[in-house]
Amino acid sequence: MLQKSRKRCTHPCPCGYLGDSLHQCSCTPIMIQRYRSRLSGPLLDRIDLHVEVPRVAHKELAGSTPAEPSSAIRVRVEAVHEIQRRRLAPFGLYTNSQMQARHIKQFCRPDAAGEKLLEMVVDRLGMSARSYARILKVARTIADLAGEDGIRQPHLAEAIQYRSLDRKA
């Protein structure tokens, strides 16, 4: 399932401190807008997930709360790979990320509440067709991880949250 991907990382603003809990951002709104406009819409459309990663406090890093073991995560991921492989094998595909428009129409139909949410988000943010398709494919994967056949509003809401740069465009 894993495709070679180029990790793209960008700071939230020219100074790099916008939203930082320890440092004050020194950028003006115009500087931030100009900085973000360097990332073109067509480029952002081709990236499935736009996720902001905040600073992690030392207390959390050094904490003794046990994390979920990688082996447990691996079992879940392998199960989802198998679900996707079975669903898409007749089309010569292996993962949701490989789906084209016809597959998205067949396998990524949201429920009524999800459709209403998508309509509102697309209209309000002016998302492209490419962004819309990416949201549906990510929502399909989230539903697969939840063990659900259909895509529901919570799956779409989570997928939309992974498009943070669309929301700031």
Side-chain angles (χ1 to χ4, degrees):
M1 167 175 172
L2 296 178
Q3 297 177 356
K4 288 185 179 179
S5 66
R6 296 181 186 157
K7 295 180 183 176
R8 301 281 180 184
C9 187
T10 183
H11 293 288
C13 66
C15 77
Y17 292 121
L18 182 66
D20 191 292
S21 59
L22 297 179
H23 298 92
Q24 182 70 32
C25 175
S26 62
C27 303
T28 66
I30 299 290
M31 290 170 66
I32 294 167
Q33 182 181 15
R34 191 176 304 131
Y35 180 77
R36 288 188 175 165
S37 70
R38 295 184 345 192
L39 289 172
S40 72
L43 174 65
L44 291 176
D45 282 349
R46 288 171 170 82
I47 300 171
D48 290 346
L49 306 175
H50 310 165
V51 182
E52 293 181 28
V53 182
R55 178 185 302 275
V56 179
H58 177 268
K59 181 179 177 181
E60 292 178 48
L61 291 172
S64 60
T65 305
E68 182 177 16
S70 296
S71 58
I73 296 169
R74 181 184 184 117
V75 168
R76 275 200 321 273
V77 169
E78 288 174 346
V80 169
H81 282 183
E82 183 58 25
I83 289 167
Q84 293 177 14
R85 188 194 62 72
R86 273 189 269 122
R87 177 189 304 128
L88 299 170
F91 307 101
L93 306 175
Y94 301 99
T95 66
N96 292 341
S97 66
Q98 296 173 307
M99 286 192 284
Q100 300 298 314
R102 66 186 168 121
H103 309 115
I104 293 169
K105 285 182 179 165
Q106 183 175 354
F107 299 115
C108 300
R109 282 181 272 164
D111 64 4
E115 189 62 50
K116 190 172 183 175
L117 174 65
L118 269 175
E119 181 182 348
M120 180 189 69
V121 168
V122 169
D123 289 347
R124 190 171 288 171
L125 299 180
M127 286 187 174
S128 68
R130 197 176 272 132
S131 290
Y132 177 83
R134 295 212 183 265
I135 287 170
L136 285 171
K137 290 191 279 187
V138 170
R140 174 71 268 161
T141 299
I142 292 167
D144 290 344
L145 282 163
E148 298 194 27
D149 292 330
I151 296 175
R152 296 184 304 110
Q153 183 183 22
H155 307 135
L156 286 160
E158 184 176 344
I160 290 163
Q161 289 300 308
Y162 297 137
R163 302 287 305 182
S164 66
L165 293 174
D166 287 336
R167 291 192 307 268
K168 293 178 179 173

